[in-house]
Amino acid sequence: MANQGASIQITINEILKKTEQLKSEIERPWALLKKIGALGVETSQRAFQEQRLGTIEWPERYPNMSDPIINIAGALSDFSSGRNAPKPNRFQSRPALVDEGTLWKSITQRLIGNSEVAWGSNKDYALTHQEGGQSIQPISEETKERIKGWLFTAEGKESKKKVTTHGREGNGETHKVARNLYKNKLMHLLRKSNLVTNIAARPYLGFTDELVGDIRSTIQEHFKKVQGK
């Protein structure tokens, strides 16, 4: 019996058609770039949730501060904005760099020309938190009065406030803490006109191994669809 064999055929027109499809997609890669940009935004936003970017762990707030914890710069920002007490999350060492999701939510992507995509934040403090640096906060007399008001009652007696503290163990226990325990951490603000804070680098922009793998898979899937596979 003769061997009939097996074969597959493709015409030159079919080859040229697929080539033209790939050429057209390469010349107008906006859809692919948007997919890659979305992956970058997702990776950056996940860094705030996981408190790390890939293998780079974020330091906690004020790592050398003894318990009870208070975010001094954050508390000062609250008093300066007109609040009479710090926000509850000012008494937690983590999550760092998360305050109402302001920086987190500001991360977006944008196309640059026909061949690039970028993602990041337009906040004026975004680079400082990415790379580390310093912040300078003015301390007005009105702010100092609010700090005094929080530390002491009208009678000048030490007061207590129920706060949730994470400390170094992250136990999240809620209990009453005497405000006088924060005196040595806040009273120095009453003698200054500015607070200078060294900000640790907490990178949220970058190529992690996971992101590189996702980009590679996205490119492969994208061109498979273009070729109709």
Side-chain angles (χ1 to χ4, degrees):
M1 182 176 179
N3 185 357
Q4 296 180 354
S7 65
I8 186 170
Q9 293 176 309
I10 185 169
T11 66
I12 188 63
N13 288 334
E14 290 174 314
I15 294 174
L16 291 175
K17 181 180 178 181
K18 291 183 180 295
T19 302
E20 286 300 317
Q21 288 175 333
L22 287 173
K23 180 181 177 182
S24 175
E25 192 64 26
I26 291 171
E27 291 176 347
R28 296 190 295 274
W30 306 298
L32 176 58
L33 288 173
K34 286 181 180 180
K35 292 177 184 178
I36 294 173
L39 290 173
V41 170
E42 180 184 355
T43 296
S44 293
Q45 292 180 335
R46 189 165 60 245
F48 290 82
Q49 297 173 301
E50 299 179 349
Q51 296 286 281
R52 63 182 177 86
L53 178 67
T55 59
I56 304 174
E57 295 283 345
W58 286 9
E60 63 184 10
R61 299 190 188 102
Y62 293 88
N64 298 319
M65 181 182 288
S66 59
D67 288 336
I69 300 299
I70 185 168
N71 179 350
I72 298 174
L76 175 58
S77 177
D78 294 338
F79 289 124
S80 297
S81 68
R83 295 177 65 96
N84 293 318
K87 297 176 184 177
N89 67 336
R90 306 306 189 194
F91 303 96
Q92 301 170 0
S93 56
R94 288 194 187 277
L97 204 53
V98 176
D99 184 18
E100 298 178 355
T102 305
L103 181 55
W104 176 356
K105 295 175 182 177
S106 72
I107 299 173
T108 57
Q109 63 160 301
R110 64 186 176 92
L111 293 176
I112 304 174
N114 295 328
S115 60
E116 295 181 60
V117 64
W119 58 91
S121 169
N122 61 0
K123 295 294 183 182
D124 55 6
Y125 51 82
L127 184 61
T128 301
H129 289 295
Q130 167 76 11
E131 299 181 352
Q134 282 189 337
S135 73
I136 301 176
Q137 297 170 270
I139 309 173
S140 67
E141 293 302 316
E142 292 82 1
T143 297
K144 292 178 182 181
E145 289 302 314
R146 294 189 190 97
I147 295 172
K148 292 178 185 177
W150 185 75
L151 287 173
F152 301 98
T153 64
E155 295 79 18
K157 296 179 180 178
E158 292 167 355
S159 175
K160 288 189 175 183
K161 175 179 177 59
K162 194 172 186 180
V163 299
T164 301
T165 58
H166 281 212
R168 300 293 167 228
E169 302 301 325
N171 52 29
E173 293 181 354
T174 301
H175 54 89
K176 285 188 176 181
V177 177
R179 292 185 191 173
N180 69 303
L181 295 178
Y182 298 106
K183 284 174 63 177
N184 65 334
K185 298 170 182 177
L186 295 181
M187 288 292 284
H188 67 99
L189 300 178
L190 304 179
R191 302 187 295 271
K192 298 181 176 181
S193 58
N194 293 288
L195 173 67
V196 179
T197 303
N198 291 321
I199 298 176
R202 295 184 176 93
Y204 51 90
L205 299 172
F207 289 92
T208 65
D209 291 341
E210 183 178 0
L211 176 57
V212 171
D214 288 342
I215 290 175
R216 183 180 293 113
S217 297
T218 297
I219 293 173
Q220 291 173 345
E221 289 299 318
H222 180 81
F223 283 107
K224 281 182 181 179
K225 290 181 179 180
V226 170
Q227 293 176 292
K229 291 184 178 180

